[in-house]
Amino acid sequence: MNVEKFSYDNQVVRLFAIASLIFGVVGMLVGLLIAFQIFIPSLNFNFQYTTFGRIRPLHTNAVIFAFVGNAIFAGVYYSLQRLTKSRMFSDFLSYFHFWGWQAIILSAAITLPLGITTSKEYAELEWPIDIAIAVVWLAFGANMFGTIIKRREKHMYVAIWFYIATFVTVTVLHVVNSIELPISFLKSYPVYAGVQDALVQWWYGHNAVAFFLTTPYLGLMYYYLPKAVNRPVYSYKLSILHFWALIFLYIWAGPHHLLYSALPDWAQSLGTVFSIMLIAPSWGGMINGLLTLRGAWDRVRDEPTLKFMVIAVTAYGMSTFEGPMLSLKNINAIAHFTDWIIAHVHIGALGWNGFLTFGMLYWMIPQMYKTSLFSKKMANFHFWIGTLGIVFYAAPLYWSGITQALMWKEFSPLGILQYPNFLETVLQIVPMYIIRGIGGTLYFTGVIIGIYNLVKTAKQGNFVAQEEAEAPPLEKIDDKLQKGNIHRWLEKRPAQFAVLATVVILIGGAVEFIPTYLVKSNIPTIESVKPYTPLELHGRDLYIREGCNSCHSQLVRPFRSETERYGEYSKAGEFVYDHPFLWGSKRTGPDLHRIGGKYSNLWHYLHMENPRSMSPGSLMPPYSWLLEQDLNMENTEAKISAMRTLGVPYEEGYEKYALADLNKQAEAISEDLAASGAAVEPGKEIIALIAYLQRLGTDIKGNK
């Protein structure tokens, strides 16, 4: 038999693994900081670049795309070469991918604290970085498909199916959600507005979790779990059902993030129905993973690697059960906007992604260094302190979330809100935030111990950068499609497989998007709703820059408890000029959609200068720099022109005298503040922010 000799590239795997661990430490440290900032405002340091609103997206991006992303690429590059019995297609593309991805992460680390953000969950990076992401991602895809095409194995193993689905779906998600109109080098507006922007964003946001944090990790599970236990995966047929049902159903579920919102009811219902159906394939994958360990549970007791993987798969099962439950309207009405959602997300992040990453690394690093794990005792300690950290992180937030929801909704025997002051509900749960911080510290301690263990493992071994291998070349593939063997036929053809996977994931998005965009009755207009003034538009951009939407929603749901607290519930037509939408996903502070006219200009000024002066006990940080920094008005014309291009009905040529209107409104606010005893120049940023806040919700009759 003709045997070909080649080598596996372990060097690129090691680079991605090292980057994952380094950025894991950075991302989790920032996460710990914001966890403590929530109840210790002084930890914002009264410095604009370290406030919760600025660095919260830094935490999410660092953990998702830097820690988890690099771990995915390390796992894929290691497993794909061995599953295809082939070296990666192009060394150049491998290292272009590595260094390009690190450059993207570095650019995120610089721009996000600077307030350069689109504000869109998990897609905060501005348009030049979006383009860089697309280029680097396509390089990864080309390298992956090139490797699969030149494989020496006839059939593509199940892990490769999930890698392919990840690539094609993330490509579609990123491109569609990132269509934006630049107005400068680091500023753009999304082409979508209001309800449509919300639908696209949560189609992206939900499926970023599905196809960046889930499907690639399922591929890793299907490779590394059987390898670690030295047994074949439990069921090939269950793998097929799991894969196709999962990628078809997942893409429909995004609207469950928008229940009781201004999104059309039919779209909300679709999101709920498909979310419930998702339980079946999700748990099919969990069962397939756990049953791979059948007859080997005694090894789980002895092998820390397997302990990590078992808890990871179990956490996957827990979070994919809870997600569909949260899509039920009666449960969503309680949980949405509360800390319950934060607990839910972190069960997946810390348990599924974090533990599977370390389970994979504890197995893979010794393989590449031709040695054994430095210390099983240390790995076991990492496992137990990490598990304890997850419990101490999530449990208090579940309790906190239920407490918040019940306090928000409670009425007195006289029929008035029992807790009309939102701050009362925040201060009640501070002890839960303290326990959450302890849990995060425990988990982070485990991570440090794990990294130390891996470094010592590497030092005691000898790294094999180019691992020699041999295999017979791929035989000519039989083109005959035999009855009952359709999937086996498909597994031999990566191009057809990728096309079919793309078609499957496009169906759900098309069904939800097309009616929302083409049927006008889905987004009825409201005559009284007018475009933002130039000053208000600048103020809105400052609101986005400071990350205010991380803590405040702009969406009043049709519950009596909310209309009593905030005012008239939100209508779809109110958001038609919002590029981007700012409905938020968490209420650390009260909703702001009806804040306009509720307080005086002076109240807002003093509140931003020192929140505790107006709300004793407030946990919000001060924003003193807004009182000192001059508003950048240079791009006023570009902003107005861009908005008109996007359909906002500013009259032709308005940008030429928009600055005059801006100055007139700014002077009026400045004069009002001066009359109240606060001397503020009209050109300061605080003036624009006040103008925006005073506008919110005032277009609807009865709100002023």
Side-chain angles (χ1 to χ4, degrees):
M1 181 183 292
N2 181 26
V3 175
E4 297 177 346
K5 294 187 176 183
F6 57 96
S7 63
Y8 297 132
D9 181 7
N10 286 338
Q11 179 63 22
V12 72
V13 177
R14 181 172 71 166
L15 287 173
F16 275 116
I18 292 171
S20 175
L21 295 173
I22 291 172
F23 287 122
V25 170
V26 174
M28 291 179 205
L29 268 177
V30 177
L32 275 178
L33 176 59
I34 63 176
F36 284 97
Q37 281 179 338
I38 278 192
F39 62 91
I40 308 176
S42 60
L43 289 179
N44 288 269
F45 306 116
N46 197 22
F47 186 53
Q48 62 178 311
Y49 305 116
T50 55
T51 61
F52 180 91
R54 295 276 189 111
I55 66 174
R56 188 258 180 183
L58 176 63
H59 163 63
T60 56
N61 278 265
V63 171
I64 295 172
F65 301 109
F67 170 57
V68 172
N70 278 307
I72 290 169
F73 299 134
V76 169
Y77 275 98
Y78 184 90
S79 61
L80 186 64
Q81 294 183 85
R82 286 150 181 86
L83 288 170
T84 59
K85 289 187 169 58
S86 176
R87 186 182 178 86
M88 292 304 298
F89 171 70
S90 166
D91 286 355
F92 170 78
L93 288 177
S94 294
Y95 292 95
F96 175 80
H97 175 203
F98 174 77
W99 290 111
W101 196 255
Q102 310 322 308
I104 288 165
I105 293 166
L106 181 61
S107 66
I110 294 170
T111 57
L112 292 173
L114 290 174
I116 299 169
T117 172
T118 66
S119 84
K120 302 181 78 171
E121 197 87 20
Y122 316 137
E124 292 90 350
L125 304 180
E126 269 292 357
W127 68 271
I129 308 174
D130 281 341
I131 293 173
I133 291 170
V135 171
V136 174
W137 184 255
L138 289 174
F140 163 61
N143 207 11
M144 181 179 71
F145 277 106
T147 306
I148 295 170
I149 290 168
K150 72 168 191 172
R151 70 194 184 281
R152 294 180 176 85
E153 282 284 339
K154 186 180 295 185
H155 293 276
M156 295 185 296
Y157 177 63
V158 58
I160 299 177
W161 314 346
F162 282 97
Y163 299 161
I164 290 174
T166 297
F167 173 74
V168 297
T169 311
V170 170
T171 303
V172 172
L173 292 171
H174 179 68
V175 170
V176 174
N177 191 52
S178 299
I179 300 175
E180 48 216 359
L181 181 63
I183 65 163
S184 65
F185 177 60
L186 288 172
K187 178 63 181 173
S188 65
Y189 293 121
V191 298
Y192 318 105
V195 172
Q196 294 166 340
D197 190 41
L199 177 61
V200 173
Q201 162 55 29
W202 280 113
W203 167 80
Y204 166 88
H206 177 79
N207 290 302
V209 173
F211 289 91
F212 197 84
L213 299 178
T214 302
T215 54
Y217 267 74
L218 287 169
L220 299 179
M221 178 198 79
Y222 273 114
Y223 180 80
Y224 291 98
L225 181 56
K227 280 287 186 182
V229 76
N230 198 26
R231 288 173 178 267
V233 70
Y234 172 67
S235 171
Y236 166 71
K237 289 183 179 179
L238 186 55
S239 301
I240 296 174
L241 289 172
H242 174 210
F243 174 76
W244 291 106
L246 189 81
I247 69 167
F248 174 71
L249 295 175
Y250 235 133
I251 209 79
W252 296 74
H256 80 219
H257 291 264
L258 302 170
L259 300 183
Y260 293 109
S261 73
L263 189 72
D265 285 342
W266 64 265
Q268 296 182 40
S269 297
L270 269 180
T272 297
V273 169
F274 280 88
S275 296
I276 297 300
M277 289 193 287
L278 260 175
I279 294 176
S282 297
W283 275 46
M286 177 190 69
I287 290 167
N288 215 7
L290 293 178
L291 288 183
T292 300
L293 295 163
R294 67 201 185 283
W297 288 101
D298 57 326
R299 291 190 57 198
V300 175
R301 183 181 63 245
D302 300 327
E303 291 293 333
T305 296
L306 292 176
K307 286 190 181 77
F308 277 96
M309 292 183 177
V310 167
I311 292 298
V313 176
T314 304
Y316 168 67
M318 289 173 60
S319 59
T320 54
F321 173 78
E322 187 181 20
M325 292 301 99
L326 288 169
S327 73
L328 295 172
K329 279 198 165 186
N330 53 346
I331 297 178
N332 186 276
I334 299 170
H336 195 56
F337 288 135
T338 75
D339 288 318
W340 185 338
I341 307 303
I342 309 303
H344 164 62
V345 168
H346 282 82
I347 289 291
L350 302 176
W352 170 231
N353 296 122
F355 267 31
L356 191 62
T357 294
F358 275 97
M360 176 184 76
L361 293 175
Y362 277 142
W363 183 86
M364 186 170 68
I365 297 299
Q367 296 290 324
M368 293 195 298
Y369 281 86
K370 302 304 177 187
T371 186
S372 57
L373 189 62
F374 172 71
S375 172
K376 283 190 177 182
K377 286 185 178 180
M378 200 176 288
N380 277 318
F381 182 74
H382 175 194
F383 169 79
W384 287 112
I385 197 173
T387 302
L388 197 62
I390 294 172
V391 172
F392 272 75
Y393 190 102
L397 289 187
Y398 284 122
W399 191 271
S400 167
I402 294 171
T403 302
Q404 286 173 306
L406 294 179
M407 291 183 74
W408 292 348
K409 293 178 178 293
E410 187 171 352
F411 283 84
S412 73
L414 296 177
I416 60 175
L417 286 171
Q418 183 70 40
Y419 303 101
N421 183 358
F422 188 91
L423 185 57
E424 290 180 271
T425 71
V426 177
L427 298 178
Q428 188 68 30
I429 57 178
V430 167
M432 301 299 105
Y433 286 155
I434 295 172
I435 298 171
R436 185 264 295 267
I438 294 170
T441 303
L442 291 173
Y443 190 91
F444 183 71
T445 301
V447 169
I448 297 300
I449 291 168
I451 293 173
Y452 176 80
N453 202 2
L454 289 171
V455 170
K456 295 294 286 186
T457 300
K459 285 187 175 181
Q460 75 180 10
N462 294 303
F463 178 63
V464 181
Q466 309 298 324
E467 186 176 333
E468 298 299 324
E470 58 182 33
L474 181 65
E475 298 176 4
K476 185 178 180 181
I477 295 175
D478 183 7
D479 284 330
K480 292 179 182 178
L481 177 58
Q482 297 179 359
K483 188 176 181 181
N485 288 320
I486 296 175
H487 206 271
R488 296 296 284 176
W489 178 87
L490 197 59
E491 289 166 26
K492 302 175 188 176
R493 293 162 177 80
Q496 291 91 326
F497 192 100
V499 169
L500 182 58
T502 305
V503 171
V504 167
I505 62 99
L506 286 175
I507 295 171
V511 171
E512 290 172 349
F513 290 172
I514 292 173
T516 306
Y517 278 84
L518 298 184
V519 181
K520 289 187 177 180
S521 61
N522 279 314
I523 315 292
T525 56
I526 300 173
E527 187 177 354
S528 61
V529 174
K530 304 299 181 185
Y532 295 106
T533 67
L535 184 64
E536 291 161 0
L537 190 59
H538 277 290
R540 193 172 198 270
D541 288 339
L542 291 173
Y543 182 96
I544 289 170
R545 185 191 75 184
E546 299 302 335
C548 301
N549 54 295
S550 292
C551 291
H552 297 280
S553 57
Q554 286 187 26
L555 178 74
V556 182
R557 297 176 294 177
F559 302 145
R560 181 177 168 231
S561 59
E562 296 207 6
T563 56
E564 288 284 329
R565 187 185 301 277
Y566 301 119
E568 180 70 12
Y569 71 89
S570 302
K571 316 293 194 303
E574 294 184 77
F575 304 102
V576 292
Y577 305 133
D578 285 7
H579 297 266
F581 85 112
L582 293 174
W583 294 357
S585 55
K586 168 79 163 63
R587 283 179 183 157
T588 303
D591 186 90
L592 299 181
H593 194 213
R594 304 298 181 200
I595 195 74
K598 187 176 181 179
Y599 302 108
S600 67
N601 291 334
L602 180 63
W603 187 95
H604 285 293
Y605 175 88
L606 296 174
H607 184 247
M608 298 307 292
E609 181 184 42
N610 179 14
R612 278 154 291 288
S613 68
M614 307 310 295
S615 300
S618 172
L619 301 179
M620 176 178 161
Y623 288 83
S624 56
W625 53 90
L626 294 173
L627 284 60
E628 302 163 359
Q629 292 180 173
D630 292 329
L631 180 65
N632 179 9
M633 307 179 203
E634 293 180 359
N635 55 5
T636 303
E637 286 192 23
K639 288 185 177 185
I640 297 296
S641 179
M643 284 294 178
R644 188 170 55 246
T645 300
L646 295 173
V648 179
Y650 292 113
E651 62 184 66
E652 195 69 36
Y654 176 64
E655 62 270 19
K656 299 301 180 184
Y657 52 91
L659 204 56
D661 282 358
L662 183 154
N663 289 326
K664 183 178 179 181
Q665 186 179 7
E667 286 169 5
I669 295 173
S670 177
E671 289 170 4
D672 179 72
L673 288 170
S676 303
V680 192
E681 295 176 16
K684 298 301 180 182
E685 289 182 337
I686 186 66
I687 300 292
L689 184 61
I690 290 173
Y692 172 64
L693 293 173
Q694 294 288 35
R695 171 65 184 278
L696 287 175
T698 58
D699 285 344
I700 298 297
K701 189 177 181 180
N703 288 276
K704 56 183 178 179

